[in-house]
Structures are given as structure tokens and as C-alpha cells.
Amino acid sequence: MSIPNDNLECGHSLEGLSTYLDTGGIPDPQHLEECPECQAALASLRNLKALGSEFLGEEIAAAGKGTDAWMQSILDNLRLEVRPGRTIPLRSDHPGDTLSETEGAITALVRAVGDALDGVAVGKCRLRGDITVPGAPVTLEVQLAVLYGHQMIGRASALRERLAVALARHTELNVAAIDLAVSDVLQPLQATPPTSEENQP
Amino acid sequence: MNLPQADEVYDVIMAVDGVTAVYPARAGWQNLAGAALGAVTGVQPPAVLVLPAAGADSTAAEVRTRIGVSSAHRAPDVCRDVASAIRHHCHPLSVTVDVQVAAISGPRPS
């Protein structure tokens, strides 16, 4: 898997974190326990690696692309999404206190909810609207891939329901809409037709 | 009146139900500088910042922290519980609290 080399705000890169998953080696392992952005990136990279080994290689082979463009677009989004981003205010019980959530924490939550749903892989998620203003209407936009053999509408409905529950539980955002777009269908090995070379004696 | 010790406040925060982690309460570029300094000196920046309140006497302080929350608990409630626990620990010192949820993890929401 080719990983973009742009650094996160802490100085680590997705490439370095991917290498850590493969080899267990990283110069400052203590940092991983102290950095929520690296932890979110590692969780997503683990899921992507599992997804890639199970489905994506075959999907790419069947399409004859020879590239992992779909994976690259996910990684490009991931690099943006794991950053802290904007500050989402929370109601406080005491005047003068400042309670908040990072945008990165919420997008990581969205990605985790999607990745936990069978047959779905989250490609991109964005919070649209002024999330820094309490009560302002916010739209969650999610692009997803559905694995071959799963009903798109059924999977999308299930994901929308789970995301609504998660956002209501873990944020105080005024979620006006959850917009889902199925941008890809991933094909598993079993459904991949044999190539013409494989058919030859 | 002495300011509360950061490591004591850290223990108070970690004892709150739903808190899974306490992260260094600094911006990214400061983390980089702190990490570099720590690599040289062996001294790591504290996970909790306890500062004297600006322009105040020794009876007021500001506490800043970033936390990770288990998804088995409501993140906003945990955030408020942390602020309350810090205030209770620091009593009778007057404190303002800055708590930010930086990660929500653990069991998936049902």
C-alpha cells in the first residue's frame, strides 16, 4: 500500500505509522500512547490493511487498474480527518469553563461506526456547517464503499441509523442531515471472474 | 495557597468513569518542541497543565487537559464530570477548567 508522506500535526506521517503496523518499529513508541491523532490514524490504517488484503487487491486485479487509487483517496482523506480540526463546544455546568470536542475525534468516531458495520467501508467523512457555534445546523457527509453482495440501500440505511445514534450520544451538534453517497462497490475474491490467461490450458 | 500538583489532577481525571486517556494539553507545534526537548533531557511535558490564573492572586488557577473517552459513556457527560472532579479536587481554590475530548474509542455504540 502506497501511503502519502504528508505529516500529521504531531510530526508523524501515515507512512511511518503504516510501517509501524508492519514492523512494530517506531522511534518514539511512547508518543503513540499520548497522541489521539496517531491513535485514530492507526485504527483506520489497521482497518484499511485488513480490508485491502481481503477485498481491495482482488478488486484492483479484476479491474486491471494496477493502481490503488481508491485506497489512495481514502488515505488522502484520512490524513485530513485525523487532525484535530475545528473545536466543537460543549455545554458547561460552570461559567468560565471551556468544554469541547475536536472535529477529529468526531470524524474518527464516524469512521469507526462505519467500519464496524459489515459490508461497508467509509471513504470520506466531512462535517459541513459551523460546528463551532452551538445549535448551528450541521450536515454530516459520508462517502462509502459497499462490498459486493450487500444491498446498498439496506447498508446505507443501517449506517445512517447508527451514525445518528452515535452523534446524538457523543456530541451536542444540531445534526440537520446525514448525507451518504455510495462511491464504490468492492468485489471479493470469490466473485472475481477468472482472467483469460487463467482459462488457457 | 499552593496550586494543585499536575500529577494529582491527572489521577483525579483518570478516575472519572469513561475516561480512557489523558493527552498532553498542548498544541501540535508545542508538542513537537516538547517531544524534542524530552528526547534530549528525558523530561516529558505534563499531561495536565495547572497554571495560575492570569491577573489573579494565588487563590485562582486554570487547569487544561485533553481526554480520551470510552464510547460506552456519553462524551459530553464525561467531559462535564471531569470538570466537576477537577473543581472538587482543587476546592477551595477557584479554578477555571478547559477540557477537550480528543478521542472517543472502545466498544462501538449500539
Side-chain angles (χ1 to χ4, degrees):
Chain A
M1 180 163 59
S2 175
I3 309 269
N5 195 26
D6 302 277
N7 286 349
L8 308 179
E9 287 192 3
C10 64
H12 281 270
S13 66
L14 290 181
E15 184 177 38
L17 294 174
S18 180
T19 300
Y20 167 72
L21 286 181
D22 291 336
T23 67
I26 197 163
D28 51 350
Q30 177 68 26
H31 169 81
L32 300 181
E33 297 179 15
E34 299 173 343
C35 180
E37 289 79 36
C38 281
Q39 290 172 0
L42 283 171
S44 293
L45 286 172
R46 284 191 190 97
N47 188 68
L48 285 174
K49 282 179 181 292
L51 186 71
S53 61
E54 187 176 359
F55 291 98
L56 198 58
E58 290 76 18
E59 189 264 348
I60 290 166
K65 294 175 183 172
T67 65
D68 53 353
W70 183 81
M71 185 72 83
Q72 286 298 320
S73 72
I74 288 186
L75 292 168
D76 287 342
N77 283 308
L78 181 61
R79 180 171 46 80
L80 293 174
E81 290 166 11
V82 298
R83 296 181 181 207
R86 294 173 287 178
T87 297
I88 304 172
L90 297 173
R91 180 179 52 80
S92 68
D93 293 333
H94 198 277
D97 284 355
T98 304
L99 309 184
S100 63
E101 298 169 314
T102 64
E103 184 177 17
I106 303 308
T107 53
L109 174 70
V110 168
R111 193 173 280 281
V113 169
D115 290 343
L117 185 64
D118 284 344
V120 166
V122 173
K124 173 183 178 181
C125 55
R126 294 284 188 274
L127 289 166
R128 303 293 186 194
D130 195 347
I131 60 175
T132 65
V133 176
V138 172
T139 296
L140 172 64
E141 295 179 358
V142 179
Q143 286 184 8
L144 62 146
V146 174
L147 305 187
Y148 181 84
H150 292 267
Q151 288 189 338
M152 288 187 192
I153 294 177
R155 290 291 83 185
S157 295
L159 179 58
R160 181 181 283 108
E161 188 175 322
R162 291 188 184 199
L163 289 174
V165 170
L167 291 175
R169 179 174 173 79
H170 291 296
T171 77
E172 294 175 347
L173 292 170
N174 173 20
V175 181
I178 298 175
D179 292 342
L180 305 180
V182 179
S183 57
D184 289 278
V185 175
L186 301 182
Q187 204 168 31
L189 179 62
Q190 294 86 331
T192 304
T195 64
S196 57
E197 289 183 358
E198 288 172 339
N199 289 334
Q200 293 176 356
Chain B
M1 188 175 296
N2 293 329
L3 293 178
Q5 295 296 308
D7 53 354
E8 292 177 3
V9 180
Y10 174 92
D11 291 340
V12 166
I13 297 169
M14 283 300 292
V16 173
D17 277 352
V19 174
T20 59
V22 179
Y23 301 111
R26 290 162 187 251
W29 67 269
Q30 291 170 312
N31 266 346
L32 274 177
L37 184 64
V40 173
T41 65
V43 177
Q44 295 301 317
V48 180
L49 285 182
V50 180
L51 307 167
D57 57 21
S58 60
T59 62
E62 179 182 355
V63 178
R64 294 183 202 164
T65 189
R66 294 193 303 161
I67 60 172
V69 176
S70 163
S71 61
H73 295 72
R74 287 193 76 244
D77 290 345
V78 174
C79 201
R80 285 186 280 271
D81 289 346
V82 166
S84 177
I86 292 171
R87 179 164 286 102
H88 185 263
H89 175 75
C90 295
H91 182 79
L93 201 65
S94 174
V95 293
T96 57
V97 182
D98 186 327
V99 184
Q100 185 169 66
V101 177
I104 302 169
S105 60
R108 305 300 184 210
S110 57

Short mmCIF file of all heavy atoms in Angstrom, two decimals, chain A residues 106-160:
data_model
loop_
_atom_site.label_atom_id
_atom_site.label_comp_id
_atom_site.label_asym_id
_atom_site.label_seq_id
_atom_site.Cartn_x
_atom_site.Cartn_y
_atom_site.Cartn_z
N ILE A 106 -14.60 13.44 16.32
CA ILE A 106 -15.93 13.08 15.81
C ILE A 106 -15.82 12.38 14.46
O ILE A 106 -16.51 11.38 14.21
CB ILE A 106 -16.83 14.33 15.71
CG1 ILE A 106 -16.93 15.01 17.09
CG2 ILE A 106 -18.21 13.94 15.21
CD1 ILE A 106 -17.33 14.09 18.23
N THR A 107 -14.93 12.84 13.59
CA THR A 107 -14.78 12.15 12.30
C THR A 107 -14.19 10.75 12.52
O THR A 107 -14.55 9.80 11.80
CB THR A 107 -13.91 12.95 11.33
OG1 THR A 107 -12.68 13.29 11.94
CG2 THR A 107 -14.62 14.21 10.88
N ALA A 108 -13.31 10.60 13.49
CA ALA A 108 -12.79 9.26 13.81
C ALA A 108 -13.91 8.37 14.33
O ALA A 108 -13.96 7.17 14.02
CB ALA A 108 -11.66 9.37 14.84
N LEU A 109 -14.81 8.95 15.11
CA LEU A 109 -15.96 8.19 15.60
C LEU A 109 -16.84 7.73 14.43
O LEU A 109 -17.28 6.57 14.37
CB LEU A 109 -16.78 9.05 16.58
CG LEU A 109 -18.10 8.46 17.06
CD1 LEU A 109 -17.85 7.28 17.99
CD2 LEU A 109 -18.93 9.53 17.78
N VAL A 110 -17.10 8.65 13.51
CA VAL A 110 -17.92 8.32 12.34
C VAL A 110 -17.28 7.18 11.55
O VAL A 110 -17.94 6.21 11.15
CB VAL A 110 -18.09 9.56 11.44
CG1 VAL A 110 -18.67 9.19 10.08
CG2 VAL A 110 -18.97 10.59 12.13
N ARG A 111 -15.98 7.29 11.35
CA ARG A 111 -15.27 6.24 10.61
C ARG A 111 -15.34 4.91 11.35
O ARG A 111 -15.54 3.84 10.75
CB ARG A 111 -13.82 6.67 10.40
CG ARG A 111 -13.04 5.86 9.40
CD ARG A 111 -11.68 6.49 9.16
NE ARG A 111 -11.76 7.61 8.24
CZ ARG A 111 -11.83 7.47 6.92
NH1 ARG A 111 -11.80 6.28 6.37
NH2 ARG A 111 -11.89 8.53 6.14
N ALA A 112 -15.20 4.94 12.67
CA ALA A 112 -15.24 3.71 13.45
C ALA A 112 -16.63 3.06 13.39
O ALA A 112 -16.75 1.84 13.29
CB ALA A 112 -14.85 3.99 14.91
N VAL A 113 -17.66 3.88 13.46
CA VAL A 113 -19.03 3.35 13.37
C VAL A 113 -19.24 2.69 12.01
O VAL A 113 -19.80 1.59 11.90
CB VAL A 113 -20.06 4.48 13.60
CG1 VAL A 113 -21.47 4.00 13.25
CG2 VAL A 113 -20.02 4.94 15.05
N GLY A 114 -18.78 3.35 10.96
CA GLY A 114 -18.92 2.78 9.62
C GLY A 114 -18.13 1.51 9.44
O GLY A 114 -18.63 0.52 8.90
N ASP A 115 -16.89 1.52 9.93
CA ASP A 115 -16.03 0.35 9.75
C ASP A 115 -16.54 -0.84 10.55
O ASP A 115 -16.19 -1.99 10.24
CB ASP A 115 -14.59 0.70 10.18
CG ASP A 115 -13.92 1.66 9.20
OD1 ASP A 115 -14.43 1.81 8.07
OD2 ASP A 115 -12.90 2.28 9.57
N ALA A 116 -17.32 -0.58 11.60
CA ALA A 116 -17.85 -1.68 12.42
C ALA A 116 -19.08 -2.33 11.78
O ALA A 116 -19.53 -3.38 12.23
CB ALA A 116 -18.21 -1.16 13.81
N LEU A 117 -19.59 -1.73 10.71
CA LEU A 117 -20.79 -2.26 10.06
C LEU A 117 -20.36 -3.19 8.91
O LEU A 117 -19.63 -2.78 8.02
CB LEU A 117 -21.63 -1.10 9.52
CG LEU A 117 -22.98 -1.44 8.90
CD1 LEU A 117 -23.91 -2.04 9.94
CD2 LEU A 117 -23.62 -0.19 8.30
N ASP A 118 -20.82 -4.42 8.95
CA ASP A 118 -20.47 -5.39 7.91
C ASP A 118 -20.87 -4.88 6.53
O ASP A 118 -21.96 -4.34 6.35
CB ASP A 118 -21.16 -6.72 8.16
CG ASP A 118 -20.51 -7.50 9.29
OD1 ASP A 118 -19.38 -7.15 9.66
OD2 ASP A 118 -21.15 -8.43 9.80
N GLY A 119 -19.97 -5.06 5.58
CA GLY A 119 -20.30 -4.75 4.20
C GLY A 119 -20.07 -3.31 3.80
O GLY A 119 -20.39 -2.92 2.68
N VAL A 120 -19.49 -2.52 4.69
CA VAL A 120 -19.32 -1.08 4.42
C VAL A 120 -17.89 -0.66 4.73
O VAL A 120 -17.29 -1.14 5.70
CB VAL A 120 -20.30 -0.25 5.28
CG1 VAL A 120 -19.92 1.22 5.27
CG2 VAL A 120 -21.72 -0.43 4.79
N ALA A 121 -17.34 0.19 3.89
CA ALA A 121 -16.05 0.83 4.17
C ALA A 121 -16.20 2.33 3.96
O ALA A 121 -16.63 2.76 2.89
CB ALA A 121 -14.96 0.28 3.26
N VAL A 122 -15.89 3.10 4.99
CA VAL A 122 -16.02 4.55 4.91
C VAL A 122 -14.84 5.12 4.13
O VAL A 122 -13.69 4.83 4.42
CB VAL A 122 -16.09 5.18 6.31
CG1 VAL A 122 -16.05 6.70 6.22
CG2 VAL A 122 -17.34 4.72 7.02
N GLY A 123 -15.15 5.91 3.10
CA GLY A 123 -14.09 6.50 2.29
C GLY A 123 -13.76 7.92 2.69
O GLY A 123 -12.62 8.34 2.67
N LYS A 124 -14.77 8.69 3.04
CA LYS A 124 -14.55 10.11 3.34
C LYS A 124 -15.68 10.58 4.24
O LYS A 124 -16.84 10.19 4.05
CB LYS A 124 -14.57 10.89 2.02
CG LYS A 124 -14.53 12.40 2.13
CD LYS A 124 -14.63 13.02 0.73
CE LYS A 124 -14.66 14.54 0.76
NZ LYS A 124 -14.78 15.10 -0.60
N CYS A 125 -15.36 11.39 5.21
CA CYS A 125 -16.44 11.99 6.01
C CYS A 125 -16.10 13.44 6.33
O CYS A 125 -14.96 13.78 6.62
CB CYS A 125 -16.73 11.18 7.26
SG CYS A 125 -15.34 10.87 8.32
N ARG A 126 -17.11 14.28 6.25
CA ARG A 126 -16.94 15.71 6.49
C ARG A 126 -18.12 16.23 7.30
O ARG A 126 -19.27 15.82 7.08
CB ARG A 126 -16.90 16.48 5.17
CG ARG A 126 -15.69 16.19 4.30
CD ARG A 126 -14.43 16.87 4.84
NE ARG A 126 -13.34 16.72 3.90
CZ ARG A 126 -12.53 15.66 3.86
NH1 ARG A 126 -12.70 14.68 4.72
NH2 ARG A 126 -11.54 15.59 2.99
N LEU A 127 -17.84 17.15 8.20
CA LEU A 127 -18.90 17.88 8.91
C LEU A 127 -19.05 19.23 8.24
O LEU A 127 -18.12 20.05 8.26
CB LEU A 127 -18.53 18.04 10.39
CG LEU A 127 -18.56 16.77 11.23
CD1 LEU A 127 -17.87 16.99 12.58
CD2 LEU A 127 -19.99 16.30 11.46
N ARG A 128 -20.19 19.47 7.61
CA ARG A 128 -20.45 20.73 6.92
C ARG A 128 -21.29 21.63 7.82
O ARG A 128 -22.24 21.18 8.45
CB ARG A 128 -21.20 20.47 5.62
CG ARG A 128 -20.50 19.52 4.65
CD ARG A 128 -19.22 20.12 4.10
NE ARG A 128 -18.64 19.25 3.07
CZ ARG A 128 -17.40 19.38 2.61
NH1 ARG A 128 -16.61 20.33 3.08
NH2 ARG A 128 -16.94 18.56 1.69
N GLY A 129 -20.96 22.91 7.85
CA GLY A 129 -21.67 23.85 8.69
C GLY A 129 -20.73 24.38 9.76
O GLY A 129 -19.60 23.91 9.90
N ASP A 130 -21.19 25.39 10.49
CA ASP A 130 -20.33 26.00 11.50
C ASP A 130 -20.44 25.23 12.81
O ASP A 130 -21.27 25.55 13.68
CB ASP A 130 -20.70 27.46 11.71
CG ASP A 130 -19.60 28.20 12.47
OD1 ASP A 130 -18.70 27.52 13.02
OD2 ASP A 130 -19.63 29.43 12.50
N ILE A 131 -19.62 24.21 12.95
CA ILE A 131 -19.68 23.35 14.14
C ILE A 131 -19.16 24.06 15.38
O ILE A 131 -19.30 23.55 16.49
CB ILE A 131 -18.89 22.05 13.93
CG1 ILE A 131 -17.41 22.34 13.64
CG2 ILE A 131 -19.52 21.22 12.82
CD1 ILE A 131 -16.55 21.10 13.53
N THR A 132 -18.57 25.25 15.20
CA THR A 132 -18.03 25.98 16.36
C THR A 132 -19.10 26.81 17.06
O THR A 132 -18.84 27.39 18.11
CB THR A 132 -16.87 26.90 15.93
OG1 THR A 132 -17.38 27.93 15.07
CG2 THR A 132 -15.79 26.13 15.20
N VAL A 133 -20.29 26.87 16.45
CA VAL A 133 -21.39 27.65 17.03
C VAL A 133 -22.45 26.70 17.57
O VAL A 133 -23.03 25.92 16.80
CB VAL A 133 -22.01 28.58 15.97
CG1 VAL A 133 -23.22 29.32 16.56
CG2 VAL A 133 -20.98 29.57 15.46
N PRO A 134 -22.73 26.74 18.88
CA PRO A 134 -23.73 25.82 19.44
C PRO A 134 -25.08 26.00 18.75
O PRO A 134 -25.56 27.13 18.57
CB PRO A 134 -23.81 26.23 20.91
CG PRO A 134 -22.50 26.89 21.21
CD PRO A 134 -22.11 27.58 19.92
N GLY A 135 -25.69 24.89 18.36
CA GLY A 135 -27.02 24.93 17.77
C GLY A 135 -27.06 25.18 16.28
O GLY A 135 -28.12 25.04 15.65
N ALA A 136 -25.94 25.54 15.68
CA ALA A 136 -25.94 25.78 14.23
C ALA A 136 -26.18 24.46 13.50
O ALA A 136 -25.64 23.43 13.90
CB ALA A 136 -24.60 26.38 13.79
N PRO A 137 -27.00 24.49 12.44
CA PRO A 137 -27.28 23.23 11.72
C PRO A 137 -26.03 22.68 11.05
O PRO A 137 -25.25 23.42 10.46
CB PRO A 137 -28.33 23.65 10.69
CG PRO A 137 -28.19 25.12 10.54
CD PRO A 137 -27.71 25.64 11.85
N VAL A 138 -25.85 21.38 11.19
CA VAL A 138 -24.66 20.71 10.67
C VAL A 138 -25.10 19.52 9.83
O VAL A 138 -26.05 18.81 10.18
CB VAL A 138 -23.78 20.20 11.85
CG1 VAL A 138 -22.65 19.33 11.34
CG2 VAL A 138 -23.24 21.38 12.65
N THR A 139 -24.43 19.34 8.72
CA THR A 139 -24.67 18.17 7.87
C THR A 139 -23.43 17.27 7.89
O THR A 139 -22.32 17.76 7.71
CB THR A 139 -24.98 18.59 6.43
OG1 THR A 139 -26.19 19.35 6.41
CG2 THR A 139 -25.14 17.38 5.52
N LEU A 140 -23.67 16.00 8.12
CA LEU A 140 -22.58 15.02 8.02
C LEU A 140 -22.63 14.40 6.62
O LEU A 140 -23.66 13.87 6.21
CB LEU A 140 -22.75 13.92 9.07
CG LEU A 140 -21.79 12.73 8.94
CD1 LEU A 140 -20.34 13.15 9.15
CD2 LEU A 140 -22.16 11.62 9.93
N GLU A 141 -21.51 14.52 5.90
CA GLU A 141 -21.41 13.91 4.58
C GLU A 141 -20.43 12.74 4.64
O GLU A 141 -19.31 12.89 5.12
CB GLU A 141 -20.91 14.94 3.55
CG GLU A 141 -21.88 16.09 3.31
CD GLU A 141 -21.35 17.10 2.32
OE1 GLU A 141 -20.19 16.94 1.84
OE2 GLU A 141 -22.07 18.06 2.02
N VAL A 142 -20.89 11.59 4.17
CA VAL A 142 -20.06 10.39 4.19
C VAL A 142 -20.08 9.73 2.81
O VAL A 142 -21.16 9.52 2.25
CB VAL A 142 -20.55 9.37 5.24
CG1 VAL A 142 -19.68 8.11 5.23
CG2 VAL A 142 -20.55 9.99 6.63
N GLN A 143 -18.90 9.46 2.29
CA GLN A 143 -18.80 8.62 1.10
C GLN A 143 -18.37 7.24 1.55
O GLN A 143 -17.50 7.10 2.41
CB GLN A 143 -17.76 9.18 0.12
CG GLN A 143 -18.23 10.43 -0.61
CD GLN A 143 -17.21 10.89 -1.64
OE1 GLN A 143 -16.23 10.21 -1.91
NE2 GLN A 143 -17.45 12.06 -2.21
N LEU A 144 -19.00 6.21 0.97
CA LEU A 144 -18.67 4.87 1.40
C LEU A 144 -18.60 3.91 0.23
O LEU A 144 -19.16 4.17 -0.84
CB LEU A 144 -19.68 4.37 2.44
CG LEU A 144 -21.13 4.23 1.98
CD1 LEU A 144 -21.78 3.05 2.69
CD2 LEU A 144 -21.90 5.49 2.32
N ALA A 145 -17.91 2.82 0.47
CA ALA A 145 -17.91 1.71 -0.47
C ALA A 145 -18.73 0.60 0.15
O ALA A 145 -18.67 0.38 1.36
CB ALA A 145 -16.48 1.24 -0.74
N VAL A 146 -19.49 -0.08 -0.68
CA VAL A 146 -20.27 -1.23 -0.22
C VAL A 146 -19.65 -2.48 -0.83
O VAL A 146 -19.33 -2.50 -2.03
CB VAL A 146 -21.75 -1.09 -0.62
CG1 VAL A 146 -22.53 -2.36 -0.28
CG2 VAL A 146 -22.37 0.12 0.08
N LEU A 147 -19.47 -3.48 -0.01
CA LEU A 147 -18.88 -4.72 -0.50
C LEU A 147 -19.89 -5.48 -1.36
O LEU A 147 -21.08 -5.52 -1.03
CB LEU A 147 -18.41 -5.59 0.67
CG LEU A 147 -17.45 -4.91 1.65
CD1 LEU A 147 -16.93 -5.91 2.65
CD2 LEU A 147 -16.29 -4.25 0.91
N TYR A 148 -19.39 -6.07 -2.43
CA TYR A 148 -20.23 -6.80 -3.37
C TYR A 148 -21.08 -7.85 -2.63
O TYR A 148 -20.57 -8.58 -1.77
CB TYR A 148 -19.35 -7.48 -4.40
CG TYR A 148 -20.11 -8.26 -5.46
CD1 TYR A 148 -20.61 -7.62 -6.58
CD2 TYR A 148 -20.33 -9.63 -5.31
CE1 TYR A 148 -21.31 -8.33 -7.54
CE2 TYR A 148 -21.03 -10.34 -6.27
CZ TYR A 148 -21.52 -9.69 -7.37
OH TYR A 148 -22.21 -10.40 -8.31
N GLY A 149 -22.36 -7.89 -2.95
CA GLY A 149 -23.24 -8.87 -2.32
C GLY A 149 -24.10 -8.27 -1.22
O GLY A 149 -25.05 -8.92 -0.75
N HIS A 150 -23.77 -7.04 -0.79
CA HIS A 150 -24.58 -6.36 0.23
C HIS A 150 -25.50 -5.36 -0.46
O HIS A 150 -25.11 -4.70 -1.41
CB HIS A 150 -23.69 -5.64 1.23
CG HIS A 150 -22.89 -6.55 2.11
ND1 HIS A 150 -23.33 -6.98 3.34
CD2 HIS A 150 -21.69 -7.14 1.91
CE1 HIS A 150 -22.43 -7.79 3.88
NE2 HIS A 150 -21.42 -7.90 3.02
N GLN A 151 -26.73 -5.27 0.03
CA GLN A 151 -27.69 -4.32 -0.55
C GLN A 151 -27.26 -2.90 -0.20
O GLN A 151 -27.10 -2.58 0.98
CB GLN A 151 -29.09 -4.58 0.00
CG GLN A 151 -29.73 -5.85 -0.55
CD GLN A 151 -31.19 -5.93 -0.16
OE1 GLN A 151 -31.62 -5.31 0.80
NE2 GLN A 151 -31.94 -6.71 -0.90
N MET A 152 -27.12 -2.07 -1.22
CA MET A 152 -26.66 -0.70 -0.98
C MET A 152 -27.62 0.07 -0.10
O MET A 152 -27.20 0.72 0.88
CB MET A 152 -26.50 0.03 -2.32
CG MET A 152 -25.33 -0.42 -3.15
SD MET A 152 -25.14 0.66 -4.58
CE MET A 152 -23.97 -0.29 -5.53
N ILE A 153 -28.89 0.03 -0.44
CA ILE A 153 -29.86 0.84 0.32
C ILE A 153 -29.95 0.34 1.75
O ILE A 153 -29.99 1.12 2.71
CB ILE A 153 -31.24 0.82 -0.37
CG1 ILE A 153 -31.14 1.52 -1.72
CG2 ILE A 153 -32.29 1.47 0.50
CD1 ILE A 153 -32.42 1.49 -2.54
N GLY A 154 -29.92 -0.97 1.91
CA GLY A 154 -30.00 -1.53 3.27
C GLY A 154 -28.80 -1.16 4.11
O GLY A 154 -28.93 -0.77 5.27
N ARG A 155 -27.61 -1.24 3.51
CA ARG A 155 -26.40 -0.90 4.25
C ARG A 155 -26.38 0.60 4.57
O ARG A 155 -26.00 1.01 5.66
CB ARG A 155 -25.15 -1.27 3.44
CG ARG A 155 -24.89 -2.76 3.30
CD ARG A 155 -24.50 -3.42 4.59
NE ARG A 155 -25.65 -3.76 5.42
CZ ARG A 155 -25.61 -4.27 6.64
NH1 ARG A 155 -24.43 -4.48 7.19
NH2 ARG A 155 -26.69 -4.54 7.32
N ALA A 156 -26.78 1.40 3.61
CA ALA A 156 -26.77 2.85 3.82
C ALA A 156 -27.77 3.24 4.91
O ALA A 156 -27.48 4.09 5.77
CB ALA A 156 -27.10 3.58 2.52
N SER A 157 -28.93 2.60 4.92
CA SER A 157 -29.93 2.91 5.96
C SER A 157 -29.42 2.51 7.34
O SER A 157 -29.60 3.26 8.31
CB SER A 157 -31.23 2.17 5.66
OG SER A 157 -31.81 2.64 4.47
N ALA A 158 -28.80 1.33 7.40
CA ALA A 158 -28.26 0.88 8.68
C ALA A 158 -27.17 1.82 9.18
O ALA A 158 -27.10 2.16 10.37
CB ALA A 158 -27.72 -0.54 8.54
N LEU A 159 -26.31 2.26 8.26
CA LEU A 159 -25.23 3.17 8.65
C LEU A 159 -25.79 4.51 9.11
O LEU A 159 -25.35 5.06 10.13
CB LEU A 159 -24.27 3.37 7.48
CG LEU A 159 -23.10 4.33 7.75
CD1 LEU A 159 -22.27 3.85 8.93
CD2 LEU A 159 -22.23 4.47 6.50
N ARG A 160 -26.77 5.03 8.37
CA ARG A 160 -27.34 6.32 8.75
C ARG A 160 -27.94 6.24 10.16
O ARG A 160 -27.76 7.15 10.98
CB ARG A 160 -28.41 6.75 7.75
CG ARG A 160 -29.04 8.10 8.10
CD ARG A 160 -30.12 8.53 7.14
NE ARG A 160 -29.55 9.03 5.89
CZ ARG A 160 -29.59 8.40 4.74
NH1 ARG A 160 -30.21 7.22 4.66
NH2 ARG A 160 -29.06 8.92 3.65
#
